[in-house]
Every structure is written in structure tokens, then in C-alpha cells.
Amino acid sequence: KITLRENLDFANQTIACAAAQAQLAYYQLLEQQGHLRFVRDRATLDELWSQWTNGGTDAPLGIILSMEGADPIIEPDQAQWWWQQGLRTACLAHYGPSAYAMGTGGDGPLTDRGRQLLKEFDRLGIILDLVHTADSALAEALDRYEGSVFVSHGNCRALVQHDRQMTDDQIRLICERGGVIGIVLDCWMLKANYRSSDRDQVSLETLADHIDHICQLTGNRNHVGIGSDLDGGFGIEQVPHDMNTIADLQNIEPILTERGYSESDVAAIFHGNWLRFFREAM
């Protein structure tokens, strides 16, 4: 029996849209204050990357505006309004059914409105994030949507059985289209049959297993990155035991090196694959 998580999303699309607009207003204020800058195109991405790599300690943080679950887009033709405000990536659903597709916790196809929304995404160039998309909906989306696809935060179902995870076939199809899978640090997505008392059994080595699985499956290191989900509503109690702050992500490097990954491989996994993907997709 599958039990959907509740109280995560909003009761209707009008409320979802209003809440998303409030979040956007906060980001816009931060941009006005010089703390961040929206990445709306390849030129801006390249400019900000150059500033950071050339020691620009005062450079603003670049963000790509995304949407987890598309319910804030009230109708498919409203996607253009969101695009004009900077939206560049979105997934169709979160937990349970959305207006556009079935999400985590169930299975089913795209809705008619979901099919219309994908046409708008294609027309506008909104990049499709396949995270949280139910298996049937994901397969249909891959057939219908012609643009770039990726998974912002998802792990391997071959290692941990759950519909929230990506199957090997899904990983192959996404990577064949140039996509990247962002690995999540949530313990239950890293270790099979995880219980809260098992945290000491989950380490960054466990996370590296998921990275390595994707690399072995695709035959290269070009399609995996760090997705983290560390802003996803959980804290230190639900991440690998050898991780105490965000800075500990750096400790994945020696683990991958020990497994035979080169310096350039590690750089690709840490940032290079995402940089390449978004440069091409934008």
C-alpha cells in the first residue's frame, strides 16, 4: 500500500501561484540588493562563472529560477508570464497528483493540460526537470517533450527501491538526451530499508555508490552531479553521519579519488556537468 505524503503542497492552484509569487518577490529583492543574480541565458551564466573563477569574491550568487511541481502555473498559457519573470526549469508534479501529471507516490500519465504545458515549455525553452514524475508520466513526457531534460535531485532505484528513485532505464534515456542526475543526500534515498536509527550506517561512501552506479551505467562521468536537496525540509538528522555542514560535500572528493576517479572526473561531478548542461540547454 502506498501512502502519499500530505500537507506538502497547496490546496489549489491559485494559492500555489500566490505562494510562488511571494517567494519570487523575495529573490527579486535579493537581486536588487546585489546578493544574487538571475541566470536567464547562457551569456549571464558565462559572465557569472568567469567572475567566480577569477576570484570575484564580491560577485553575486547566480541562481536559475526553477519550480518543483508546476501547479503555480495556473494554466498552460500562463507559462509565458512565468518565463518573462525568469523561470527556466520546472517539473510537472511533486507528491501525488498535480494539475499536469502524477507525482511521487502513485502512477499515471500526463493530464491533457500537462500535454499542453509541455508544448508551451518546448516553445519557450523552459527546461524539463523529471524529478518526482511518476513512471508513466515520465515516459510520456520523454516522448512528447523535445527540449533538454534532467533530474535536479534523484537517486538510483537499483540501489534503493522506491518510486521516488530513478530506474536504470530512465537514467539511460535521460542521459542519452544529454541530461544530468543530481544525487540527493537524504538518508532514506541512499540506503535500502533505512530507519532513523540507522544514520550511523549511512556515509558519504553510500552517496558515492549512487554516483558510481550512474557512471558505470552510462560508461562515463558526464551525467551525474550533486543535487543535495539540503533545502528540502530535513536537517542533519537525515543526512550521512559524516556530514555536519554543507562544506562537508568536499569530502566526497577523496572518496571518488580512491575509487579511481581522476581530478577532471571529480570536477565534472562537482560542477562541470551542470555547467555544461545548462550552457547547452539555455
Side-chain angles (χ1 to χ4, degrees):
K1 180 181 177 180
I2 295 174
T3 301
L4 297 181
R5 293 174 66 183
E6 298 177 346
N7 302 321
L8 286 173
D9 302 307
F10 294 94
N12 60 60
Q13 285 189 265
T14 301
I15 298 173
C17 183
Q21 281 288 298
Q23 294 173 17
L24 177 57
Y26 173 63
Y27 300 143
Q28 290 169 337
L29 180 59
L30 291 178
E31 185 175 43
Q32 291 168 20
Q33 294 172 340
H35 299 300
L36 62 80
R37 185 173 171 192
F38 286 104
V39 176
R40 299 169 182 262
D41 51 44
R42 184 184 305 165
T44 306
L45 178 63
D46 287 344
E47 179 185 344
L48 286 170
W49 180 248
S50 177
Q51 290 177 20
W52 278 90
T53 53
N54 289 311
T57 55
D58 295 329
L61 181 68
I63 68 165
I64 297 173
L65 188 64
S66 63
M67 186 179 286
E68 186 173 20
D71 279 350
I73 305 173
I74 295 177
E75 294 292 344
D77 61 7
Q78 196 197 39
Q80 177 150 353
W81 181 67
W82 279 100
W83 165 267
Q84 290 166 346
Q85 296 177 89
L87 183 68
R88 291 298 179 267
T89 86
C91 65
L92 297 176
H94 190 214
Y95 278 85
S98 79
Y100 301 111
M102 174 60 76
T104 297
D107 195 20
L110 304 177
T111 66
D112 286 342
R113 291 171 66 204
R115 297 177 186 109
Q116 295 170 31
L117 185 63
L118 282 187
K119 289 181 180 179
E120 282 298 288
F121 281 8
D122 256 330
R123 183 180 71 83
L124 294 165
I126 293 178
I127 306 162
L128 182 61
D129 184 356
L130 289 166
V131 70
H132 283 295
T133 308
D135 290 347
S136 297
L138 188 148
E140 186 178 355
L142 282 172
D143 285 341
R144 290 179 175 274
Y145 178 79
E146 297 181 358
S148 299
V149 296
F150 74 112
V151 175
S152 57
H153 55 299
N155 290 352
C156 305
R157 200 179 301 185
L159 301 183
V160 178
Q161 273 289 325
H162 193 280
D163 77 319
R164 171 70 179 81
Q165 312 274 74
M166 310 304 297
T167 70
D168 283 358
D169 285 344
Q170 290 170 346
I171 291 169
R172 288 191 190 96
L173 288 170
I174 291 165
C175 295
E176 284 171 3
R177 291 176 58 162
V180 175
I181 315 292
I183 296 299
V184 185
L185 278 87
D186 198 341
C187 283
W188 78 265
M189 296 178 66
L190 293 171
K191 180 184 182 296
N193 304 311
Y194 174 77
R195 299 172 300 175
S196 59
S197 59
D198 294 341
R199 184 178 176 237
D200 62 345
Q201 300 175 31
V202 183
S203 69
L204 292 175
E205 288 276 2
T206 320
L207 182 142
D209 292 341
H210 288 261
I211 293 174
D212 193 53
H213 182 81
I214 293 173
C215 292
Q216 299 299 330
L217 189 66
T218 59
N220 57 62
R221 45 71 158 159
N222 298 327
H223 301 286
V224 64
I226 307 299
S228 94
D229 205 24
L230 290 179
D231 61 344
F234 58 91
I236 196 171
E237 80 289 344
Q238 208 166 308
V239 299
H241 73 84
D242 47 355
M243 185 169 185
N244 295 304
T245 76
I246 189 83
D248 289 333
L249 283 172
Q250 298 171 84
N251 295 332
I252 302 170
E253 179 178 0
I255 294 171
L256 293 175
T257 300
E258 180 67 23
R259 295 186 184 206
Y261 287 83
S262 69
E263 184 176 343
S264 62
D265 292 335
V266 173
I269 293 165
F270 268 61
H271 67 270
N273 291 337
W274 285 127
L275 190 64
R276 182 200 71 247
F277 173 78
F278 283 110
R279 284 198 81 257
E280 294 172 352
M282 293 182 127

